[in-house]
Amino acid sequence: MILVHILPMLWGFIISFSDLDLYTISDWSKAPFIGIGNYLEGLDINSPTGGRFLRSLWNITYYGIAVISIGYFIGLGVALILNQEFIGRTIVRGLILLPYIIPDSVAYSVWRFMFQARIGIVNKYLLSWGLISETKVWLVGDKSIYAVMVASIWKGWPFTCLILLAGLQTIPFELYDAAKIDGASIWQQFRYITFPLLMPITSVLLLLSTLWNFNAFNQFYVMLGDDPGVAAEVPSTLILREAFNSFHYGIGAAMSVILMVIMLIFSILYIKKIRPGEVEH
């Protein structure tokens, strides 16, 4: 753990205060010390790197809100269906996990092919349904983040469904029986029994999803490459490009530390949420 986690993080934190680049990497300990200069540049909206970094933070927030919320409602709807008795329920429960267990590189490569402008089936079906009048370029420009959102929702909702289904099975059936005797409708049963009793597991699930989505990398890298463009730039791809393509190790490390602090805040909230005594039963 010290070699894999602690030392790399400590080294990244140290070089974030230095002007370390291609010319000084051979003797990194003698790279010019610039204090918080890299942090100021990374958060300066008027600098090229700072502007893209702040835009990437906005993009990942926008992406996370869309992916988590839509994925949650899809997962909840399917979990409610799978919580009912019907023939073949066990088989269906296994089949819905297929998108989640497919490796990221395979799943997102297939989605990249489907979103191709000329030969992708997305444009083909949208044209045949009359939703668009001409082929759209999905993987470049303003629309590229929406292509990644669709693929991420498809990949992630089965996990949400699985967790919510586990939560649904902990709700006592006696509550529903009592509600039916009192004349409660299906909607009232969901509103006053199901949804409130799912809130503890929902809050933990949303915190975990926020952590994972804020650190998203595979889907953007596989579908859009190492330079997704301003409209779909996220912190992880920008840091990779600044540090290892442009060889600006100092500013790349500073942006990594800023991202780590943001993730640390979410992690503290998550730990506080799952701590014994904090989870509501």
Side-chain angles (χ1 to χ4, degrees), residues 55-69 142 145-146 149 214 231:
R55 175 61 190 267
S56 72
L57 290 175
W58 161 251
N59 286 342
I60 198 63
T61 303
Y62 179 47
Y63 163 85
I65 291 172
V67 170
I68 293 171
S69 57
D142 295 342
I145 194 169
Y146 299 108
M149 283 179 182
F214 214 86

Side-chain angles (χ1 to χ4, degrees), residues 110-127 132-141 143-144 147 223-224:
V110 172
W111 275 102
R112 182 182 61 190
F113 184 75
M114 292 168 63
F115 273 109
Q116 291 289 327
R118 295 175 59 187
I119 59 175
I121 64 172
V122 173
N123 273 336
K124 177 183 176 182
Y125 279 106
L126 291 178
L127 283 169
I132 56 176
S133 57
E134 58 182 8
T135 57
K136 302 290 184 183
V137 178
W138 294 104
L139 300 178
V140 178
K143 300 182 185 64
S144 55
M223 291 185 68
L224 307 178

Side-chain angles (χ1 to χ4, degrees), residues 67 70-71 74 96-104 106-108 110-111 114 148-159:
V67 170
I70 296 174
I74 294 175
I96 66 162
L97 287 176
L98 283 177
Y100 185 70
I101 63 177
I102 294 175
D104 285 1
V106 176
Y108 295 127
V110 172
W111 275 102
M114 292 168 63
V148 181
M149 283 179 182
V150 171
S152 300
I153 292 169
W154 177 85
K155 186 82 169 62
W157 74 263
F159 178 77

Side-chain angles (χ1 to χ4, degrees), residues 32-251:
F33 178 78
I34 59 173
I36 60 172
N38 286 325
Y39 292 91
L40 294 177
E41 183 179 351
L43 296 173
D44 183 5
I45 195 172
N46 295 316
S47 73
T49 304
R52 294 201 71 162
F53 183 59
L54 293 175
R55 175 61 190 267
S56 72
L57 290 175
W58 161 251
N59 286 342
I60 198 63
T61 303
Y62 179 47
Y63 163 85
I65 291 172
V67 170
I68 293 171
S69 57
I70 296 174
Y72 176 81
F73 286 112
I74 294 175
L76 177 60
V78 177
L80 289 170
I81 295 173
L82 294 181
N83 198 39
Q84 308 301 316
E85 292 286 347
F86 60 87
I87 299 174
R89 183 176 68 169
T90 303
I91 296 175
V92 176
R93 285 179 176 178
L95 290 176
I96 66 162
L97 287 176
L98 283 177
Y100 185 70
I101 63 177
I102 294 175
D104 285 1
S105 57
V106 176
Y108 295 127
S109 293
V110 172
W111 275 102
R112 182 182 61 190
F113 184 75
M114 292 168 63
F115 273 109
Q116 291 289 327
R118 295 175 59 187
I119 59 175
I121 64 172
V122 173
N123 273 336
K124 177 183 176 182
Y125 279 106
L126 291 178
L127 283 169
S128 64
W129 294 337
L131 297 176
I132 56 176
S133 57
E134 58 182 8
T135 57
K136 302 290 184 183
V137 178
W138 294 104
L139 300 178
V140 178
D142 295 342
K143 300 182 185 64
S144 55
I145 194 169
Y146 299 108
V148 181
M149 283 179 182
V150 171
S152 300
I153 292 169
W154 177 85
K155 186 82 169 62
W157 74 263
F159 178 77
T160 303
C161 176
L162 187 67
I163 299 299
L164 292 176
L165 181 60
L168 286 172
Q169 293 179 342
T170 64
I171 300 176
F173 286 107
E174 291 79 6
L175 294 177
Y176 294 105
D177 293 337
K180 291 175 183 175
I181 293 174
D182 292 337
S185 63
I186 293 177
W187 167 247
Q188 288 172 325
Q189 293 175 38
F190 174 78
R191 180 180 178 185
Y192 296 109
I193 298 176
T194 306
F195 195 68
L197 292 181
L198 281 179
M199 280 309 295
I201 198 170
T202 293
S203 57
V204 173
L205 179 64
L206 293 181
L207 271 175
L208 270 178
S209 299
T210 302
L211 278 170
W212 293 334
N213 282 284
F214 214 86
N215 209 23
F217 174 77
N218 290 347
Q219 50 270 63
F220 288 92
Y221 187 78
V222 173
M223 291 185 68
L224 307 178
D226 61 354
D227 188 0
V230 175
E233 187 84 89
V234 292
S236 53
T237 56
L238 177 62
I239 291 169
L240 173 73
R241 196 171 61 257
E242 279 296 318
F244 298 104
N245 289 3
S246 302
F247 305 109
H248 297 151
Y249 303 107
I251 184 68

Side-chain angles (χ1 to χ4, degrees), residues 1-8:
M1 182 175 178
I2 293 176
L3 288 176
V4 176
H5 291 97
I6 304 299
L7 287 180

